[in-house]
Amino acid sequence: LDVDGRAGLVVRGGSEHTLAVYGDTIVPAEGAREPLVIEGHCGVSAGELSALARRAAPTAGDGRVRAARVDGYLSLFNLSANEVETRVAVPQQGGSREVYEGEQTVTREGIDYGARLDAASASLLAPRFTLSALSGRSLPSGLRVRVADGATLILSGAHCRLRIEAQGRGTEATVRGGRETRVTLRGAQAFPHHDHALGRNTFPTNPLPPGMSSPGAAVDGDPDTAWRPGRDGRMVVDLGTRAEVRWVEARWRTGAAPAARVEFSTDGVRYQQAGTLDGRGRVRRLTRAGSARYVAVTVQGAPH
């Protein structure tokens, strides 16, 4: 389905009359009962969309699981009332392979991924690493890859030399079939990240109080940006949902860190004192277990 010449949908499964389209709304057609997968592709032409539709899609060994791969992301859907463990064949073109958190085995056609899904649940997996062969034209079938996090993976099962890339960083490794090889990319973030505040919405927004810069710079994950609080500045970060907080940590650009207090809130209206940020040097921390959706940090004085 070509939406507007810049985006489109690829429909896999079902019969010819599976969907009904009304303006900008897409719904199951009357009487449609077969499960299907709809892929949304942005920034593609009609020709590119046609090529994507001809591309082989991931398939699960267990028929209760549906799978799709769009822009490298692997989506898995368990359409049953039971927990399911299954292998998912994920076709990939070319000599390199994208791998995901968990365990998978390289095949000639792509990877064979081991999935476990709770009843009536879905999972969206980001590609964590790209592997390319340095010895031979392609990675050997049978190479086992266990991705621990966004910075570390464990390789075994086949002898080869390969290049590993992620987050703009790369390294080379040699794998010997009889033992495991553990590789950690220096400087890479170990996603999934424990930081509930990373990339979340912050307040205040414009207009900002005099002397204050955007508090979003405090939670954007970029060490080259920072929040300037101004006199007695106060920022709030919305964690997106209620979360169990174990500590609040502030990293300042200078060792002369100001005094600061922390408040928790579940509704963004009523706040309770949680404590003060303590420590020495640039990193100050409050270790305090609590449940909160909104966390406020108030600086005392006018720090640089």
mmCIF file of all heavy atoms in Angstrom, residues 85-126:
data_model
loop_
_atom_site.group_PDB
_atom_site.id
_atom_site.type_symbol
_atom_site.label_atom_id
_atom_site.label_comp_id
_atom_site.label_asym_id
_atom_site.label_seq_id
_atom_site.Cartn_x
_atom_site.Cartn_y
_atom_site.Cartn_z
ATOM 1 N N GLU A 85 8.385 -20.349 23.858
ATOM 2 C CA GLU A 85 9.800 -20.309 23.521
ATOM 3 C C GLU A 85 9.961 -20.875 22.118
ATOM 4 O O GLU A 85 9.448 -21.962 21.834
ATOM 5 C CB GLU A 85 10.633 -21.120 24.518
ATOM 6 C CG GLU A 85 10.776 -20.461 25.871
ATOM 7 C CD GLU A 85 11.823 -21.135 26.731
ATOM 8 O OE1 GLU A 85 12.753 -21.747 26.143
ATOM 9 O OE2 GLU A 85 11.710 -21.055 27.964
ATOM 10 N N THR A 86 10.648 -20.140 21.240
ATOM 11 C CA THR A 86 10.754 -20.581 19.859
ATOM 12 C C THR A 86 11.992 -20.001 19.217
ATOM 13 O O THR A 86 12.575 -19.029 19.715
ATOM 14 C CB THR A 86 9.503 -20.160 19.066
ATOM 15 O OG1 THR A 86 9.555 -20.697 17.747
ATOM 16 C CG2 THR A 86 9.393 -18.647 18.978
ATOM 17 N N ARG A 87 12.398 -20.593 18.104
ATOM 18 C CA ARG A 87 13.467 -20.040 17.277
ATOM 19 C C ARG A 87 12.826 -19.208 16.178
ATOM 20 O O ARG A 87 11.782 -19.567 15.626
ATOM 21 C CB ARG A 87 14.316 -21.145 16.664
ATOM 22 C CG ARG A 87 14.874 -22.142 17.639
ATOM 23 C CD ARG A 87 15.807 -21.521 18.646
ATOM 24 N NE ARG A 87 17.009 -20.950 18.041
ATOM 25 C CZ ARG A 87 18.006 -20.417 18.725
ATOM 26 N NH1 ARG A 87 17.944 -20.369 20.053
ATOM 27 N NH2 ARG A 87 19.067 -19.926 18.115
ATOM 28 N N VAL A 88 13.467 -18.077 15.873
ATOM 29 C CA VAL A 88 12.970 -17.180 14.822
ATOM 30 C C VAL A 88 14.061 -17.029 13.767
ATOM 31 O O VAL A 88 15.171 -16.567 14.083
ATOM 32 C CB VAL A 88 12.583 -15.806 15.391
ATOM 33 C CG1 VAL A 88 12.043 -14.907 14.283
ATOM 34 C CG2 VAL A 88 11.559 -15.944 16.513
ATOM 35 N N ALA A 89 13.765 -17.435 12.547
ATOM 36 C CA ALA A 89 14.697 -17.262 11.438
ATOM 37 C C ALA A 89 14.565 -15.835 10.918
ATOM 38 O O ALA A 89 13.485 -15.424 10.484
ATOM 39 C CB ALA A 89 14.395 -18.258 10.320
ATOM 40 N N VAL A 90 15.659 -15.072 10.987
ATOM 41 C CA VAL A 90 15.649 -13.655 10.604
ATOM 42 C C VAL A 90 16.544 -13.490 9.372
ATOM 43 O O VAL A 90 17.769 -13.429 9.494
ATOM 44 C CB VAL A 90 16.150 -12.761 11.751
ATOM 45 C CG1 VAL A 90 16.021 -11.283 11.367
ATOM 46 C CG2 VAL A 90 15.383 -13.049 13.034
ATOM 47 N N PRO A 91 15.955 -13.427 8.168
ATOM 48 C CA PRO A 91 16.778 -13.270 6.964
ATOM 49 C C PRO A 91 17.491 -11.922 6.946
ATOM 50 O O PRO A 91 16.918 -10.895 7.326
ATOM 51 C CB PRO A 91 15.749 -13.355 5.826
ATOM 52 C CG PRO A 91 14.534 -13.983 6.424
ATOM 53 C CD PRO A 91 14.521 -13.555 7.855
ATOM 54 N N GLN A 92 18.748 -11.927 6.510
ATOM 55 C CA GLN A 92 19.527 -10.698 6.352
ATOM 56 C C GLN A 92 20.357 -10.827 5.076
ATOM 57 O O GLN A 92 20.941 -11.880 4.820
ATOM 58 C CB GLN A 92 20.425 -10.448 7.565
ATOM 59 C CG GLN A 92 19.653 -10.229 8.860
ATOM 60 C CD GLN A 92 20.543 -9.842 10.024
ATOM 61 O OE1 GLN A 92 21.639 -9.317 9.848
ATOM 62 N NE2 GLN A 92 20.071 -10.090 11.242
ATOM 63 N N GLN A 93 20.413 -9.762 4.314
ATOM 64 C CA GLN A 93 21.141 -9.766 3.058
ATOM 65 C C GLN A 93 22.581 -9.329 3.272
ATOM 66 O O GLN A 93 22.911 -8.647 4.245
ATOM 67 C CB GLN A 93 20.449 -8.847 2.046
ATOM 68 C CG GLN A 93 19.032 -9.281 1.700
ATOM 69 C CD GLN A 93 18.338 -8.320 0.758
ATOM 70 O OE1 GLN A 93 18.682 -7.149 0.674
ATOM 71 N NE2 GLN A 93 17.355 -8.816 0.024
ATOM 72 N N GLY A 94 23.456 -9.719 2.319
ATOM 73 C CA GLY A 94 24.850 -9.312 2.393
ATOM 74 C C GLY A 94 25.662 -10.185 3.331
ATOM 75 O O GLY A 94 25.180 -11.180 3.887
ATOM 76 N N GLY A 95 26.915 -9.797 3.535
ATOM 77 C CA GLY A 95 27.818 -10.597 4.340
ATOM 78 C C GLY A 95 27.838 -10.260 5.807
ATOM 79 O O GLY A 95 28.336 -11.039 6.621
ATOM 80 N N SER A 96 27.321 -9.100 6.209
ATOM 81 C CA SER A 96 27.307 -8.713 7.619
ATOM 82 C C SER A 96 26.022 -9.184 8.284
ATOM 83 O O SER A 96 25.040 -9.513 7.613
ATOM 84 C CB SER A 96 27.457 -7.196 7.762
ATOM 85 O OG SER A 96 26.360 -6.531 7.155
ATOM 86 N N ARG A 97 26.028 -9.198 9.619
ATOM 87 C CA ARG A 97 24.862 -9.622 10.378
ATOM 88 C C ARG A 97 24.600 -8.666 11.535
ATOM 89 O O ARG A 97 25.512 -8.293 12.271
ATOM 90 C CB ARG A 97 25.078 -11.037 10.948
ATOM 91 C CG ARG A 97 25.166 -12.129 9.870
ATOM 92 C CD ARG A 97 23.829 -12.378 9.230
ATOM 93 N NE ARG A 97 23.882 -13.424 8.220
ATOM 94 C CZ ARG A 97 24.012 -13.185 6.912
ATOM 95 N NH1 ARG A 97 24.121 -11.932 6.474
ATOM 96 N NH2 ARG A 97 24.020 -14.184 6.050
ATOM 97 N N GLU A 98 23.342 -8.257 11.676
ATOM 98 C CA GLU A 98 22.913 -7.493 12.841
ATOM 99 C C GLU A 98 22.405 -8.469 13.894
ATOM 100 O O GLU A 98 21.645 -9.388 13.571
ATOM 101 C CB GLU A 98 21.811 -6.496 12.467
ATOM 102 C CG GLU A 98 22.291 -5.356 11.587
ATOM 103 C CD GLU A 98 21.190 -4.369 11.266
ATOM 104 O OE1 GLU A 98 20.010 -4.794 11.187
ATOM 105 O OE2 GLU A 98 21.494 -3.184 11.079
ATOM 106 N N VAL A 99 22.829 -8.262 15.145
ATOM 107 C CA VAL A 99 22.445 -9.180 16.212
ATOM 108 C C VAL A 99 21.742 -8.419 17.322
ATOM 109 O O VAL A 99 21.915 -7.201 17.484
ATOM 110 C CB VAL A 99 23.674 -9.941 16.754
ATOM 111 C CG1 VAL A 99 24.236 -10.876 15.703
ATOM 112 C CG2 VAL A 99 24.751 -8.980 17.245
ATOM 113 N N TYR A 100 20.961 -9.168 18.111
ATOM 114 C CA TYR A 100 20.047 -8.581 19.077
ATOM 115 C C TYR A 100 20.332 -9.097 20.488
ATOM 116 O O TYR A 100 20.998 -10.127 20.664
ATOM 117 C CB TYR A 100 18.603 -8.915 18.694
ATOM 118 C CG TYR A 100 18.252 -8.450 17.302
ATOM 119 C CD1 TYR A 100 18.474 -9.270 16.195
ATOM 120 C CD2 TYR A 100 17.733 -7.183 17.088
ATOM 121 C CE1 TYR A 100 18.181 -8.835 14.911
ATOM 122 C CE2 TYR A 100 17.427 -6.740 15.805
ATOM 123 C CZ TYR A 100 17.661 -7.563 14.725
ATOM 124 O OH TYR A 100 17.379 -7.136 13.457
ATOM 125 N N GLU A 101 19.805 -8.373 21.467
ATOM 126 C CA GLU A 101 19.987 -8.791 22.849
ATOM 127 C C GLU A 101 19.456 -10.204 23.038
ATOM 128 O O GLU A 101 18.345 -10.524 22.616
ATOM 129 C CB GLU A 101 19.260 -7.815 23.787
ATOM 130 C CG GLU A 101 19.472 -8.117 25.253
ATOM 131 C CD GLU A 101 18.806 -7.083 26.152
ATOM 132 O OE1 GLU A 101 18.383 -6.033 25.644
ATOM 133 O OE2 GLU A 101 18.719 -7.351 27.360
ATOM 134 N N GLY A 102 20.253 -11.058 23.643
ATOM 135 C CA GLY A 102 19.872 -12.451 23.789
ATOM 136 C C GLY A 102 20.817 -13.356 23.016
ATOM 137 O O GLY A 102 21.962 -12.995 22.751
ATOM 138 N N GLU A 103 20.331 -14.539 22.635
ATOM 139 C CA GLU A 103 21.172 -15.530 21.968
ATOM 140 C C GLU A 103 20.689 -15.779 20.548
ATOM 141 O O GLU A 103 19.482 -15.862 20.294
ATOM 142 C CB GLU A 103 21.177 -16.836 22.760
ATOM 143 C CG GLU A 103 21.779 -16.687 24.150
ATOM 144 C CD GLU A 103 21.946 -18.020 24.848
ATOM 145 O OE1 GLU A 103 21.720 -19.065 24.185
ATOM 146 O OE2 GLU A 103 22.303 -18.022 26.033
ATOM 147 N N GLN A 104 21.639 -15.905 19.630
ATOM 148 C CA GLN A 104 21.342 -16.195 18.239
ATOM 149 C C GLN A 104 22.520 -16.924 17.605
ATOM 150 O O GLN A 104 23.639 -16.885 18.117
ATOM 151 C CB GLN A 104 21.035 -14.926 17.448
ATOM 152 C CG GLN A 104 22.095 -13.845 17.566
ATOM 153 C CD GLN A 104 21.611 -12.650 18.351
ATOM 154 O OE1 GLN A 104 20.784 -11.924 17.855
ATOM 155 N NE2 GLN A 104 22.084 -12.456 19.572
ATOM 156 N N THR A 105 22.244 -17.565 16.465
ATOM 157 C CA THR A 105 23.259 -18.290 15.721
ATOM 158 C C THR A 105 23.264 -17.783 14.285
ATOM 159 O O THR A 105 22.206 -17.610 13.678
ATOM 160 C CB THR A 105 22.982 -19.809 15.733
ATOM 161 O OG1 THR A 105 22.928 -20.264 17.083
ATOM 162 C CG2 THR A 105 24.068 -20.561 14.993
ATOM 163 N N VAL A 106 24.459 -17.510 13.751
ATOM 164 C CA VAL A 106 24.587 -17.049 12.373
ATOM 165 C C VAL A 106 24.271 -18.199 11.428
ATOM 166 O O VAL A 106 24.720 -19.338 11.624
ATOM 167 C CB VAL A 106 26.006 -16.509 12.115
ATOM 168 C CG1 VAL A 106 26.216 -16.217 10.627
ATOM 169 C CG2 VAL A 106 26.254 -15.253 12.947
ATOM 170 N N THR A 107 23.483 -17.925 10.390
ATOM 171 C CA THR A 107 23.173 -18.887 9.342
ATOM 172 C C THR A 107 23.562 -18.297 7.997
ATOM 173 O O THR A 107 23.895 -17.103 7.888
ATOM 174 C CB THR A 107 21.682 -19.247 9.322
ATOM 175 O OG1 THR A 107 20.917 -18.080 8.959
ATOM 176 C CG2 THR A 107 21.220 -19.722 10.694
ATOM 177 N N ARG A 108 23.490 -19.115 6.954
ATOM 178 C CA ARG A 108 23.814 -18.620 5.619
ATOM 179 C C ARG A 108 22.829 -17.547 5.172
ATOM 180 O O ARG A 108 23.183 -16.606 4.476
ATOM 181 C CB ARG A 108 23.803 -19.779 4.621
ATOM 182 C CG ARG A 108 24.150 -19.370 3.200
ATOM 183 C CD ARG A 108 24.200 -20.565 2.282
ATOM 184 N NE ARG A 108 25.254 -21.495 2.689
ATOM 185 C CZ ARG A 108 25.496 -22.639 2.055
ATOM 186 N NH1 ARG A 108 24.740 -23.009 1.025
ATOM 187 N NH2 ARG A 108 26.478 -23.424 2.466
ATOM 188 N N GLU A 109 21.575 -17.652 5.616
ATOM 189 C CA GLU A 109 20.543 -16.706 5.186
ATOM 190 C C GLU A 109 20.388 -15.516 6.118
ATOM 191 O O GLU A 109 19.764 -14.524 5.752
ATOM 192 C CB GLU A 109 19.187 -17.424 5.079
ATOM 193 C CG GLU A 109 19.114 -18.486 4.004
ATOM 194 C CD GLU A 109 19.809 -19.776 4.426
ATOM 195 O OE1 GLU A 109 19.974 -19.963 5.651
ATOM 196 O OE2 GLU A 109 20.189 -20.563 3.546
ATOM 197 N N GLY A 110 20.933 -15.578 7.342
ATOM 198 C CA GLY A 110 20.764 -14.486 8.306
ATOM 199 C C GLY A 110 21.174 -14.921 9.687
ATOM 200 O O GLY A 110 22.322 -15.296 9.924
ATOM 201 N N ILE A 111 20.221 -14.891 10.624
ATOM 202 C CA ILE A 111 20.470 -15.392 11.974
ATOM 203 C C ILE A 111 19.276 -16.218 12.426
ATOM 204 O O ILE A 111 18.149 -16.064 11.927
ATOM 205 C CB ILE A 111 20.726 -14.261 12.999
ATOM 206 C CG1 ILE A 111 19.487 -13.362 13.145
ATOM 207 C CG2 ILE A 111 21.951 -13.453 12.626
ATOM 208 C CD1 ILE A 111 19.571 -12.399 14.320
ATOM 209 N N ASP A 112 19.521 -17.103 13.376
ATOM 210 C CA ASP A 112 18.485 -17.901 14.009
ATOM 211 C C ASP A 112 18.416 -17.439 15.460
ATOM 212 O O ASP A 112 19.323 -17.708 16.251
ATOM 213 C CB ASP A 112 18.851 -19.383 13.910
ATOM 214 C CG ASP A 112 17.726 -20.284 14.367
ATOM 215 O OD1 ASP A 112 16.567 -19.895 14.214
ATOM 216 O OD2 ASP A 112 18.027 -21.372 14.893
ATOM 217 N N TYR A 113 17.341 -16.726 15.816
ATOM 218 C CA TYR A 113 17.238 -16.052 17.113
ATOM 219 C C TYR A 113 16.385 -16.864 18.076
ATOM 220 O O TYR A 113 15.312 -17.367 17.713
ATOM 221 C CB TYR A 113 16.622 -14.658 16.937
ATOM 222 C CG TYR A 113 16.509 -13.874 18.213
ATOM 223 C CD1 TYR A 113 17.618 -13.220 18.747
ATOM 224 C CD2 TYR A 113 15.306 -13.793 18.897
ATOM 225 C CE1 TYR A 113 17.522 -12.506 19.933
ATOM 226 C CE2 TYR A 113 15.206 -13.073 20.081
ATOM 227 C CZ TYR A 113 16.317 -12.446 20.593
ATOM 228 O OH TYR A 113 16.220 -11.743 21.775
ATOM 229 N N GLY A 114 16.844 -17.004 19.329
ATOM 230 C CA GLY A 114 16.090 -17.691 20.368
ATOM 231 C C GLY A 114 15.213 -16.713 21.137
ATOM 232 O O GLY A 114 15.725 -15.821 21.810
ATOM 233 N N ALA A 115 13.898 -16.876 21.027
ATOM 234 C CA ALA A 115 12.963 -15.925 21.634
ATOM 235 C C ALA A 115 12.144 -16.599 22.721
ATOM 236 O O ALA A 115 11.802 -17.780 22.621
ATOM 237 C CB ALA A 115 12.023 -15.358 20.574
ATOM 238 N N ARG A 116 11.831 -15.839 23.759
ATOM 239 C CA ARG A 116 10.899 -16.255 24.792
ATOM 240 C C ARG A 116 9.931 -15.116 25.037
ATOM 241 O O ARG A 116 10.330 -13.996 25.334
ATOM 242 C CB ARG A 116 11.608 -16.614 26.097
ATOM 243 C CG ARG A 116 10.678 -17.275 27.125
ATOM 244 C CD ARG A 116 11.271 -17.256 28.520
ATOM 245 N NE ARG A 116 11.322 -15.899 29.045
ATOM 246 C CZ ARG A 116 10.271 -15.250 29.548
ATOM 247 N NH1 ARG A 116 9.085 -15.832 29.572
ATOM 248 N NH2 ARG A 116 10.404 -14.030 30.004
ATOM 249 N N LEU A 117 8.639 -15.392 24.895
ATOM 250 C CA LEU A 117 7.616 -14.358 25.017
ATOM 251 C C LEU A 117 6.571 -14.799 26.034
ATOM 252 O O LEU A 117 6.098 -15.935 25.998
ATOM 253 C CB LEU A 117 6.938 -14.093 23.670
ATOM 254 C CG LEU A 117 7.818 -13.489 22.574
ATOM 255 C CD1 LEU A 117 7.141 -13.617 21.228
ATOM 256 C CD2 LEU A 117 8.118 -12.034 22.881
ATOM 257 N N ASP A 118 6.208 -13.886 26.938
ATOM 258 C CA ASP A 118 5.118 -14.157 27.855
ATOM 259 C C ASP A 118 3.803 -14.247 27.079
ATOM 260 O O ASP A 118 3.706 -13.836 25.921
ATOM 261 C CB ASP A 118 5.022 -13.047 28.901
ATOM 262 C CG ASP A 118 6.214 -13.042 29.851
ATOM 263 O OD1 ASP A 118 6.805 -14.122 30.049
ATOM 264 O OD2 ASP A 118 6.543 -11.966 30.374
ATOM 265 N N ALA A 119 2.782 -14.792 27.727
ATOM 266 C CA ALA A 119 1.477 -14.922 27.084
ATOM 267 C C ALA A 119 0.957 -13.559 26.635
ATOM 268 O O ALA A 119 1.074 -12.567 27.358
ATOM 269 C CB ALA A 119 0.494 -15.570 28.045
ATOM 270 N N ALA A 120 0.388 -13.534 25.427
ATOM 271 C CA ALA A 120 -0.234 -12.319 24.886
ATOM 272 C C ALA A 120 0.672 -11.099 25.026
ATOM 273 O O ALA A 120 0.266 -10.047 25.525
ATOM 274 C CB ALA A 120 -1.578 -12.069 25.567
ATOM 275 N N SER A 121 1.919 -11.229 24.597
ATOM 276 C CA SER A 121 2.875 -10.136 24.749
ATOM 277 C C SER A 121 3.624 -9.915 23.446
ATOM 278 O O SER A 121 3.546 -10.719 22.510
ATOM 279 C CB SER A 121 3.883 -10.436 25.871
ATOM 280 O OG SER A 121 4.735 -11.510 25.504
ATOM 281 N N ALA A 122 4.335 -8.818 23.398
ATOM 282 C CA ALA A 122 5.140 -8.481 22.223
ATOM 283 C C ALA A 122 6.485 -7.947 22.690
ATOM 284 O O ALA A 122 6.633 -7.504 23.832
ATOM 285 C CB ALA A 122 4.437 -7.436 21.358
ATOM 286 N N SER A 123 7.456 -7.993 21.793
ATOM 287 C CA SER A 123 8.798 -7.524 22.112
ATOM 288 C C SER A 123 9.366 -6.789 20.907
ATOM 289 O O SER A 123 9.198 -7.232 19.767
ATOM 290 C CB SER A 123 9.696 -8.711 22.475
ATOM 291 O OG SER A 123 11.009 -8.289 22.756
ATOM 292 N N LEU A 124 10.020 -5.662 21.157
ATOM 293 C CA LEU A 124 10.688 -4.890 20.113
ATOM 294 C C LEU A 124 12.173 -4.862 20.433
ATOM 295 O O LEU A 124 12.578 -4.349 21.470
ATOM 296 C CB LEU A 124 10.137 -3.466 20.038
ATOM 297 C CG LEU A 124 10.812 -2.538 19.020
ATOM 298 C CD1 LEU A 124 10.611 -3.050 17.602
ATOM 299 C CD2 LEU A 124 10.292 -1.109 19.147
ATOM 300 N N LEU A 125 12.991 -5.431 19.542
ATOM 301 C CA LEU A 125 14.420 -5.575 19.782
ATOM 302 C C LEU A 125 15.206 -4.694 18.824
ATOM 303 O O LEU A 125 15.034 -4.771 17.605
ATOM 304 C CB LEU A 125 14.836 -7.038 19.585
ATOM 305 C CG LEU A 125 14.144 -8.049 20.508
ATOM 306 C CD1 LEU A 125 14.398 -9.455 20.024
ATOM 307 C CD2 LEU A 125 14.629 -7.879 21.938
ATOM 308 N N ALA A 126 16.077 -3.860 19.399
ATOM 309 C CA ALA A 126 16.940 -3.009 18.587
ATOM 310 C C ALA A 126 18.186 -3.781 18.178
ATOM 311 O O ALA A 126 18.699 -4.584 18.961
ATOM 312 C CB ALA A 126 17.338 -1.761 19.369
#
